[in-house]
Amino acid sequence: MHYDHNKLMPGLVAELLKLHPISVVGKYIKRNPYYLNSEQYMLKVLRMSRDKDQGRASS
């Protein structure tokens, strides 16, 4: 899948990159060191949501 990073917010590009095991940077095809499989990614999202909710509850 190709993303035009000039049209996307940098934070979104970073999150999208985490979902792809291989990345193309310029003319190079590289293994993505930031890759998280779908289960790892969803656990990360759920933890962030839980932590955000807990922070809101303690305020």
Side-chain angles (χ1 to χ4, degrees), residues 24-56:
V24 178
V25 180
K27 63 181 181 178
Y28 301 101
I29 299 172
K30 301 263 184 179
R31 178 173 283 182
N32 180 3
Y34 305 105
Y35 171 70
L36 298 172
N37 67 39
S38 57
E39 183 176 328
Q40 292 170 315
Y41 188 79
M42 286 307 300
L43 285 171
K44 176 186 171 254
V45 169
L46 290 171
R47 284 187 192 118
M48 287 174 45
S49 177
R50 179 193 64 202
D51 293 347
K52 185 177 175 184
D53 289 346
Q54 286 177 349
R56 205 177 294 148

Side-chain angles (χ1 to χ4, degrees), residues 3-31:
Y3 299 105
D4 184 347
H5 66 277
N6 294 316
K7 295 181 180 179
L8 299 170
M9 296 181 304
L12 179 58
V13 173
E15 289 301 306
L16 291 171
L17 184 61
K18 293 175 186 175
L19 298 171
H20 297 283
I22 303 292
S23 60
V24 178
V25 180
K27 63 181 181 178
Y28 301 101
I29 299 172
K30 301 263 184 179
R31 178 173 283 182

